[in-house]
Amino acid sequence: MSQAPLEAAVADYLAHLRDERRLADLTRRHYRRDLDGLMASLTARGLTDWRQVTATMVRDWIAREHRRGLAPRSLQRTLAAVRGLYRYLQREGRADFDPAADLRAPKQRRRLPETLDVDQAAQLLDAPTNPGADDPLAIRDQALFELVYGAGLRLAEVASLEATDLAGDPRELRITGKGARTRIVPVGRQARRAVAQWLVVRPQLARASESALFVSRRGQRLSHRAIQARLDQRGRARGLDQHVHPHMLRHAFATHLLESSGDLRAVQELLGHADISTTQIYTHLDFQHLAEVYDRAHPRARRR
């Protein structure tokens, strides 16, 4: 049974995202769900072709989703999915205009990311002289967390590393991040040392055919969930009174660099942000830190 025209166009677009744009599976699943919702709304109106869609139809659908409780951030992603679809359809000659081009999602209040201060990062990462010398999992975890904090890696980026990526004490690491964008990040001394210790004991766990840098006790590539769980366990064991997750270490990396250097452009490059406005949230974190110092130290700010 052949697909309906609306569905067929979306299937072709998602294949384009997979094969040409190399978008992550999770992103494609989100776009699929968003476009399924719009297709259901259009089908209920009796539409059968993307050329029939108007800006009013898309606006009504976005407003209905907002009333249903969809967050502004999700609505922004939804509109991005629709615009991406229409860019593809216009390129293929299957649509004449983009009805979502001038639509805007409700504004979202920007939340500051959770992070760790320098002392908390040290409390989490500082290890004994020979950390877990008889425990390859402890050595693995130390290398894993030092690398995330030392290079500002995303969870997916560190999980996808290959053992060959860090062979031979590399000072730099090539990372392919979101949108298949590639960046070069430095690997600091402590991270290099921790990874070198892990590579010595990695054969005790890794299967002969496994290429991943970080592996589980079963010898397979370490999953995202396992990395999250091990980091949270480490945070609780080290006495931190908050849930610690991998992105928190990435935020700490960015915040501590910006506090020390003030170089927002360099931090953008190291994080792999396509738009510097994404990086600018760390200037708010930096100001928050300065405001706290002011409140503690300035004679006109201190409470009597």
Side-chain angles (χ1 to χ4, degrees):
M1 183 176 178
S2 61
Q3 291 177 308
L6 293 176
E7 170 67 27
V10 169
D12 291 344
Y13 171 57
L14 293 172
H16 159 74
L17 294 182
R18 181 192 63 219
D19 300 333
E20 297 182 39
R21 294 282 307 281
R22 304 288 180 88
L23 259 62
D25 289 345
L26 182 60
T27 303
R28 296 200 311 273
R29 285 200 297 271
H30 283 317
Y31 278 19
R32 167 91 241 188
R33 186 175 60 203
D34 294 336
L35 293 171
D36 279 348
L38 177 56
M39 281 193 292
S41 174
L42 298 176
T43 300
R45 290 174 176 261
L47 273 66
T48 59
D49 193 295
W50 290 104
R51 285 189 173 92
Q52 299 172 298
V53 181
T54 67
T56 299
M57 293 174 186
V58 180
R59 185 184 296 109
D60 289 348
W61 173 62
I62 289 292
R64 187 161 59 248
E65 293 297 290
H66 186 43
R67 288 194 299 272
R68 195 169 60 85
L70 204 62
R73 184 171 183 175
S74 297
L75 293 172
Q76 289 166 5
R77 186 199 64 228
T78 296
L79 281 172
V82 177
R83 293 188 191 106
L85 170 66
Y86 270 96
R87 280 195 299 271
Y88 169 76
L89 293 177
Q90 286 176 288
R91 192 188 76 180
E92 297 293 312
R94 296 160 70 177
D96 304 315
F97 71 99
D98 176 5
D102 297 323
L103 300 183
R104 295 291 177 267
K107 287 190 176 181
Q108 173 180 329
R109 183 180 177 185
R110 203 165 193 187
R111 287 170 43 189
L112 296 179
E114 295 179 292
T115 188
L116 302 170
D117 62 30
V118 174
D119 290 337
Q120 289 172 318
Q123 183 178 340
L124 180 71
L125 295 174
D126 283 353
T129 306
N130 294 306
D134 59 347
D135 183 359
L137 293 180
I139 297 172
R140 179 203 66 191
D141 288 351
Q142 187 67 26
L144 175 63
F145 304 146
E146 285 282 6
L147 197 54
V148 173
Y149 174 62
L153 303 184
R154 297 179 176 93
L155 173 60
E157 292 169 350
V158 74
S160 66
L161 288 174
E162 302 291 312
T164 53
D165 292 338
L166 281 128
D169 190 34
R171 305 300 172 96
E172 294 180 343
L173 183 59
R174 181 180 294 273
I175 296 294
T176 301
K178 286 186 175 180
R181 290 188 296 273
T182 300
R183 69 187 190 277
I184 304 295
V185 296
V187 181
R189 175 178 52 83
Q190 293 195 59
R192 292 200 308 273
R193 183 172 60 190
V195 169
Q197 291 174 343
W198 161 240
L199 287 174
V200 171
V201 301
R202 178 181 172 276
Q204 297 178 28
L205 295 179
R207 295 179 179 179
S209 60
E210 181 55 68
S211 63
L213 174 60
F214 295 111
V215 298
S216 68
R217 66 174 71 245
R218 294 185 178 89
Q220 299 170 304
R221 186 179 296 275
L222 197 60
S223 69
H224 293 195
R225 188 178 297 276
I227 294 171
Q228 292 166 327
R230 294 290 289 193
L231 181 57
D232 188 44
Q233 181 182 4
R234 165 77 75 101
R236 286 185 277 109
R238 295 294 175 91
L240 295 177
D241 58 354
Q242 60 192 122
H243 167 58
V244 182
H245 52 82
H247 222 61
M248 189 180 287
L249 286 182
R250 178 171 154 90
H251 292 322
F253 163 85
T255 305
H256 301 164
L257 274 179
L258 190 59
E259 286 176 354
S260 299
S261 69
D263 192 335
L264 188 66
R265 185 71 179 82
V267 173
Q268 178 196 1
E269 288 292 326
L270 290 169
L271 291 174
H273 287 162
D275 190 334
I276 200 166
S277 65
T278 308
T279 320
Q280 283 173 335
I281 193 165
Y282 295 104
T283 64
H284 298 300
L285 285 173
D286 192 28
F287 178 79
Q288 188 178 53
H289 167 73
L290 293 174
E292 290 170 357
V293 171
Y294 174 86
D295 287 342
R296 290 196 305 267
H298 196 281
R300 292 295 190 183
R302 291 198 300 262
R303 293 182 178 179
R304 298 184 180 278

